[in-house]
Amino acid sequence: MSKNQDILNEEKMHLADATRVKYFDIVIDHGQGAIITDANGRDYIDLLASASATNTGHSHPKIVAAITAQAKKLIQYTPAYFANTTTAALAKRLTELAPGNFDKQVAFGNSGSDANDAMIKFARGFTGRQYIVSFTGAYHGSTYGALSISGVSLNMARHIGPLLPGIVKVPFPDQTQRLLGESDDDFSERLFKQFKLPFETYLPADEVALVIIEPIQGDGGIIKAPQKYMSLVYEFTRENGIVFAVDEVNQGLGRTGKMWSIDHFGIAPDMMSIGKSIASGLPLSAVIGRTEIMSSLSAPANVYTTAGNPVTAAAALATLDVIAEEHLVARSEKLGLLAQEFFEQAAKRYTFIGDVRLYGLNGGIDIIDSSGMPDNVATTKLIYRIFELGAIMISLRGNTLRFQPPLVITEKQLTHAFNIMEQAFSELAHGQLTLPETDNHIGW
């Protein structure tokens, strides 16, 4: 029996099922750049980047050095009571990095989930209103507030209600759901009518505190909202005094070929949440927002003992340095075009590849059956075979391949990954793939 399996068998007795979405029987031991190595010593090309939490790759030397130096200097003294030099520097840098030509402040957290919780708090505190509008297909996190505004899995609501009150969900403008021949503008107008329906029937706009959206949904399938739709929603919030917030936890920090996914739309949000890759995977998040909104609450309304921990702040400062110095935003855009070409060409050869969506090194590739319907079984066969061949890729929504490699991946590694995927595609087309024994446990 492999060392991987020995560890998994032991862990299974102690780890709660609710804490892991199961995919492959692998135990990761270490990583470098875009390569991870399991407990058996086998290397894999990482096409997931720890759920887009390691955009700078694994164990980047500059980030490791920053973490080490800070740990020798000060590991922790809670920013909830006293400032420290490292976290103070990060706060200033983040306000300068966020879009919008207005004064901003930062609130730190430990995860994207609590950052999205914080945006609910600040929006309610600033407006004095109660209602929150979010979107179907959203994934905002697993704390109660973030979970309540999410809409990507029934297991995020099953057996754990009641959830946070005052939440209204509207349909996300999933462009894969356009009618035949429907233009982006017509689709935007139709979905905006659905957005307005609650406001016209039961939801007073002057009682809505917040509209929160992922400009490009992550776990919902890597789906970008149309420009016109985003503009219509944004203008609606301006007309009605509603805080407009974006979740950049998954899609920020260069993932989409721009620093922030909202940069694709030319809109400066009132608030934004960041996490995951901000500290290259260490537990750090932040809300960056207009000063008048962020100053609407007083401590301890959003205080955490370890939020803004100096080691995580040092990692974040080094991460931002690496993104700038290695031009990772531009690199994401450039390599993303190579990936788009690969998947679009594959879609011409294989009928089971449906919609292909690439925004930087960030893609959702739908796998469909002969009638054009989602094919979850084929998708599971593909990701499992890709794993066997030496790359880590998972699925979203059951039938969407999730392509999110570290932004530092080399062109040689990317080409190797394409070759692996091409082999898996070919084998599926020839009926050579079978489901793994654990297929009923794989995916969301």
Side-chain angles (χ1 to χ4, degrees):
M1 188 176 291
S2 73
K3 191 172 181 181
N4 280 337
Q5 202 60 56
D6 287 342
I7 295 170
L8 288 169
N9 290 343
E10 174 74 16
E11 184 196 53
K12 188 175 182 179
M13 295 186 288
H14 310 290
L15 186 71
D17 282 346
T19 64
R20 179 177 296 152
V21 181
K22 294 180 175 65
Y23 280 100
F24 315 119
D25 291 340
I26 183 175
V27 177
I28 297 168
D29 183 73
H30 59 277
Q32 187 68 54
I35 303 297
I36 56 174
T37 305
D38 71 8
N40 292 337
R42 186 184 181 194
D43 291 340
Y44 299 83
I45 299 174
D46 185 5
L47 302 180
L48 179 60
S50 185
S52 194
T54 54
N55 288 0
T56 55
H58 303 288
S59 299
H60 191 288
K62 181 161 187 171
I63 297 166
V64 171
I67 292 169
T68 303
Q70 181 61 53
K72 290 179 179 178
K73 180 181 177 184
L74 177 69
I75 291 178
Q76 165 70 348
Y77 205 101
T78 176
Y81 293 133
F82 305 115
N84 69 77
T85 52
T86 310
T87 308
L90 178 62
K92 180 176 185 293
R93 189 160 178 184
L94 289 178
T95 60
E96 295 170 346
L97 199 59
N101 186 25
F102 44 79
D103 291 339
K104 307 177 192 74
Q105 290 182 337
V106 174
F108 288 111
N110 299 295
S111 71
S113 299
D114 66 45
N116 288 320
D117 278 12
M119 292 205 296
I120 295 172
K121 296 178 192 176
F122 284 112
R124 284 177 166 173
F126 175 66
T127 63
R129 304 172 180 182
Q130 63 168 312
Y131 291 108
I132 309 297
V133 175
S134 63
F135 290 80
T136 57
Y139 181 82
H140 295 296
S142 291
T143 52
Y144 256 97
L147 180 147
S148 298
I149 58 176
S150 296
V152 74
S153 171
L154 290 174
N155 283 346
M156 297 183 76
R158 186 177 279 119
H159 306 314
I160 55 178
L163 302 182
L164 192 70
I167 307 298
V168 176
K169 292 186 176 72
V170 294
F172 184 80
D174 179 347
Q175 297 197 59
T176 67
Q177 302 302 311
R178 282 181 298 185
L179 302 176
L180 186 65
E182 188 174 36
S183 68
D184 273 4
D185 282 359
D186 289 343
F187 174 70
S188 295
E189 294 281 3
R190 179 165 64 86
L191 267 291
F192 185 60
K193 287 181 181 178
Q194 295 182 32
F195 171 85
K196 289 195 298 183
L197 184 61
F199 294 95
E200 294 170 346
T201 54
Y202 67 89
L203 181 65
D206 60 3
E207 294 184 29
V208 174
L210 176 70
V211 170
I212 178 171
I213 189 170
E214 295 167 274
I216 301 174
Q217 281 197 341
D219 290 282
I222 319 293
I223 301 172
K224 182 176 181 284
Q227 174 69 55
K228 184 170 185 179
Y229 180 87
M230 288 289 285
S231 298
L232 288 169
V233 169
Y234 179 71
E235 287 305 318
F236 182 87
T237 64
R238 301 307 86 183
E239 293 165 2
N240 291 281
I242 299 170
V243 175
F244 179 81
V246 295
D247 179 339
E248 294 279 352
V249 174
N250 184 308
Q251 296 285 295
L253 295 153
R255 173 54 59 190
T256 69
K258 293 187 181 292
M259 188 62 177
W260 311 111
S261 65
I262 193 63
D263 291 342
H264 288 271
F265 300 91
I267 292 172
D270 298 315
M271 287 194 294
M272 59 189 285
S273 57
I274 61 175
K276 288 187 182 285
S277 279
I278 182 56
S280 292
L282 291 191
L284 177 69
S285 66
V287 175
I288 312 167
R290 292 180 181 271
T291 295
E292 59 268 30
I293 298 174
M294 303 300 292
S295 61
S296 64
L297 298 177
S298 299
N302 198 62
V303 166
Y304 307 91
T305 300
T306 57
N309 164 277
V311 174
T312 65
L317 288 168
T319 296
L320 295 174
D321 287 343
V322 169
I323 290 173
E325 292 165 2
E326 300 186 13
H327 309 289
L328 293 188
V329 177
R331 181 177 179 78
S332 176
E333 181 181 25
K334 175 187 173 184
L335 296 186
L337 293 175
L338 295 180
Q340 183 173 351
E341 174 71 10
F342 166 75
F343 286 114
E344 287 181 349
Q345 289 301 315
K348 293 177 182 178
R349 295 191 299 274
Y350 301 108
T351 58
F352 54 78
I353 298 180
D355 195 47
V356 171
R357 301 174 297 278
L358 267 293
Y359 320 101
L361 276 173
N362 180 57
I365 298 90
D366 292 342
I367 305 301
I368 56 176
D369 62 19
S370 58
S371 63
M373 298 300 292
D375 194 335
N376 293 9
V377 171
T379 307
T380 300
K381 288 179 179 179
L382 280 172
I383 62 171
Y384 198 78
R385 182 57 176 152
I386 289 167
F387 166 68
E388 289 177 331
L389 292 170
I392 299 294
M393 172 180 272
I394 67 168
S395 57
L396 296 168
R397 303 196 307 182
N399 79 304
T400 299
L401 300 178
R402 177 178 184 168
F403 176 77
Q404 292 184 312
L407 307 185
V408 298
I409 191 170
T410 66
E411 290 194 38
K412 182 178 180 181
Q413 290 167 339
L414 196 58
T415 299
H416 187 193
F418 293 158
N419 292 338
I420 286 173
M421 287 185 279
E422 175 64 31
Q423 180 176 338
F425 292 158
S426 177
E427 291 175 354
L428 178 65
H430 288 89
Q432 296 171 344
L433 298 188
T434 58
L435 285 171
E437 293 181 6
T438 56
D439 69 286
N440 59 316
H441 299 302
I442 288 182
W444 288 72

